[in-house]
Amino acid sequence: MTKPVLMRRMPQIAHVDVNCFYASAERAFDPSLEGRPLVVLSNNDGCAVTRSPEAKALGIATGEPWFKLAPRAKEWGLVAKSSNYELYGDISARVMELLGRHSAWMEVYSIDEAFLGVKGDPDQLLALGRNIKDAVRRHVGVPVCVGIAPTKTLAKLCNKWAKNNAAFGGVCHWDSVPWPQRESLMERLSVEEIWGIAGRLTRRLNVMGIFTVLDLVRADPVVIRDKFSVVLMRTVLELRGTPCIPMEEERIGRDQLIFSRSFAKPVTTAAGLRQVLGIYGQQASARLSKHGLQAKVLTAFAATSPFRQQEQAYPSVCVSLPMPTADPLLLTRAAHALLPNIRDGLQYAKAGIMLTDLRPTGNQPPLEPFENRHEERAIGPLLEDVSRRFGRGSIGLGQAGIKTGLDWTMKRDMQSPRYTTHWDELPLVKAA
């Protein structure tokens, strides 16, 4: 675990966020999509999870089912793409690597956004923000907006202003905006737009007469703490310019790890779910090894569709592993403890495994009689190395390595090529 960086070493924080990330990643390699309404769909081509500005202008909402949009797609000129996680992950890695060149301290907050610790006077920071924006666009091909402020919450707020107000040109620095203009901008923005405030909390704040960002800035922090929480009080202080949320060198979810997918076609047998759980166990092992973690508890589950009119089932099992481990064999065996609860004939629409009680690798070395020979020989990292070199599905443990019978895998009928991660899908460039 890394320790938070002291805020006094970060007089200013830059928040960099890729605009409509999935849609922008698609456009980076297909310029014909520029200016056209574009949606990227969720797993199994279910619903719109990312919308280009042109798609938003059509009134398409996040979560809109594709089967409702498809009949009017031709009329609107709407383009749909299946989620291309391999491409998005690689584009994200390129963006973060480039951002890391502009600051010694960076916190990767999500796949499409990061916080940077920056220093300089207002003119220097504005110039830095514009340089970051131009560099990402030029070298990676995706548009970003940059918000710079004394606190994380204000940096996120500035980024939102930069994104929604053309006058900022994609870069907003808090100290460069006159106070009357700040007040006007905060007064026009709902309190729900603040980082960390969701719908239910918004309704409670509305009862107190707090409807806008400016209303919350003017609220008494002590009253907010007493009526809500210390967390919301910190948000108020951050909005007032007092740093309360430290920068972190690395932000990786440490509490739990979940592998879960809906199936393109229902799985109706325990044998079919054996293969599913084996593949998930192997993938979970690779993820744990990548982050230097081991798990002590595994939960495996499956579920029929909640919309199914016939009998429904939601079997699950929780297994305490004999020792903290990232061994794919032990994880797969533990996941297979679910199989006796699977009833052949039922149409299972989803399955997954969840790993909890995560610990750093080597934090508690096992006694010699309990050592795991597979982890000593690094079987998990070996499987991942082979998969990375020869492609997913090239190797697996037991039925996880069987090539046939994968009709349950995620439906992605409108997926674009994985331009940067597969040799046979590299883009072709022709000279005129």
Side-chain angles (χ1 to χ4, degrees):
M1 296 286 181
T2 56
K3 294 182 178 179
V5 179
L6 294 177
M7 295 302 295
R8 57 183 171 80
R9 299 176 64 182
M10 298 296 176
Q12 295 283 294
I13 295 173
H15 176 251
V16 185
D17 182 32
V18 182
N19 302 340
C20 304
F21 177 56
Y22 289 178
S24 296
E26 295 286 349
R27 286 174 167 175
F29 289 92
D30 187 354
S32 69
L33 297 175
E34 291 287 350
R36 301 176 64 184
L38 170 66
V39 294
V40 177
L41 305 176
S42 62
N43 294 345
N44 295 313
D45 294 342
C47 59
V49 292
T50 297
R51 305 156 296 147
S52 70
E54 298 81 4
K56 294 176 182 177
L58 292 173
I60 297 174
T62 299
E64 190 82 16
W66 172 241
F67 74 86
K68 290 185 178 180
L69 298 174
R72 302 193 65 184
K74 187 175 181 179
E75 173 192 345
W76 290 336
L78 179 64
V79 179
K81 292 289 185 179
S82 301
S83 295
N84 190 341
Y85 299 118
E86 295 91 337
L87 175 64
Y88 307 153
D90 188 64
I91 293 292
S92 172
R94 293 172 185 235
V95 171
M96 300 309 166
E97 191 277 332
L98 185 58
L99 294 180
R101 302 179 192 178
H102 292 83
S103 174
W105 297 98
M106 181 173 76
E107 175 188 337
V108 179
Y109 186 72
S110 69
I111 191 172
D112 63 343
E113 60 181 318
F115 292 101
L116 307 178
V118 293
K119 295 181 180 180
D121 60 38
D123 290 340
Q124 291 172 329
L125 290 174
L126 277 174
L128 174 64
R130 295 187 183 110
N131 185 36
I132 290 173
K133 176 177 175 289
D134 294 341
V136 175
R137 183 63 168 175
R138 182 171 63 253
H139 295 297
V140 186
V142 294
V144 301
C145 285
V146 183
I148 304 173
T151 71
K152 278 186 171 182
T153 304
L154 285 178
K156 291 270 284 188
L157 183 62
C158 285
N159 192 298
K160 191 178 294 291
W161 289 346
K163 201 182 298 285
N164 298 323
N165 295 271
F168 288 113
V171 179
C172 177
H173 178 223
W174 175 260
D175 293 329
S176 299
V177 181
W179 176 248
Q181 187 179 356
R182 290 186 214 164
E183 282 193 320
S184 175
L185 289 167
M186 289 190 289
E187 194 171 21
R188 286 182 286 171
L189 204 60
S190 167
V191 70
E192 191 173 9
E193 299 293 329
I194 299 175
W195 182 34
I197 295 183
R200 182 179 298 178
L201 183 54
T202 298
R203 290 189 290 273
R204 292 179 61 195
L205 288 167
N206 291 166
V207 171
M208 291 181 60
I210 298 174
F211 296 93
T212 69
V213 176
L214 187 60
D215 291 336
L216 188 60
V217 170
R218 292 171 172 171
D220 185 337
V222 176
V223 173
I224 293 295
R225 180 199 63 191
D226 293 343
K227 289 187 174 294
F228 296 93
S229 65
V230 172
V231 174
L232 189 57
M233 182 185 75
R234 289 174 184 158
T235 297
V236 175
L237 293 175
E238 286 247 326
L239 288 170
R240 293 182 171 192
T242 301
C244 298
I245 306 173
M247 288 280 288
E248 299 174 5
E249 294 180 53
E250 185 177 16
R251 187 181 186 276
I252 299 173
R254 302 283 189 173
D255 297 329
Q256 62 184 19
L257 182 64
I258 300 176
F259 278 83
S260 176
R261 296 287 187 274
S262 297
F263 304 138
K265 292 179 61 176
V267 176
T268 60
T269 66
L273 281 174
R274 177 182 292 272
Q275 183 183 30
V276 174
L277 295 171
I279 292 173
Y280 290 173
Q282 183 175 319
Q283 292 175 343
S285 169
R287 187 70 60 84
L288 287 172
S289 298
K290 177 181 178 181
H291 296 304
L293 295 172
Q294 296 177 320
K296 187 66 172 65
V297 178
L298 181 146
T299 301
F301 57 90
T304 56
S305 170
F307 305 105
R308 175 182 166 86
Q309 298 299 320
Q310 297 85 356
E311 184 179 359
Q312 298 184 4
Y314 305 93
S316 65
V317 63
C318 183
V319 179
S320 180
L321 299 166
M323 67 194 78
T325 184
D327 176 23
L329 183 58
L330 290 181
L331 295 178
T332 299
R333 284 176 177 171
H336 285 170
L338 176 69
L339 297 177
N341 300 326
I342 299 300
R343 295 167 53 189
D344 286 349
L346 284 183
Q347 295 187 347
Y348 293 96
K350 183 178 182 180
I353 63 174
M354 178 173 66
L355 300 172
T356 52
D357 194 0
L358 305 186
R359 310 173 185 187
T361 300
N363 190 46
Q364 184 180 353
L367 298 174
E368 185 174 349
F370 302 100
E371 289 180 351
N372 185 347
R373 65 180 185 275
H374 299 106
E375 284 188 302
E376 288 178 355
R377 297 173 182 175
I379 298 299
L382 174 62
L383 292 174
E384 181 61 15
D385 288 343
V386 173
S387 297
R388 189 180 302 112
R389 182 175 180 183
F390 297 103
R392 292 292 174 188
S394 58
I395 190 171
L397 293 170
Q399 291 191 8
I402 297 176
K403 288 283 188 180
T404 59
L406 295 181
D407 57 349
W408 51 267
T409 53
M410 188 165 56
K411 176 183 176 183
R412 295 194 282 186
D413 292 340
M414 294 170 281
Q415 182 179 330
S416 56
R418 295 161 292 185
Y419 297 103
T420 61
T421 57
H422 287 68
W423 286 108
D424 56 347
E425 299 179 28
L426 291 176
L428 299 177
V429 178
K430 298 180 180 179

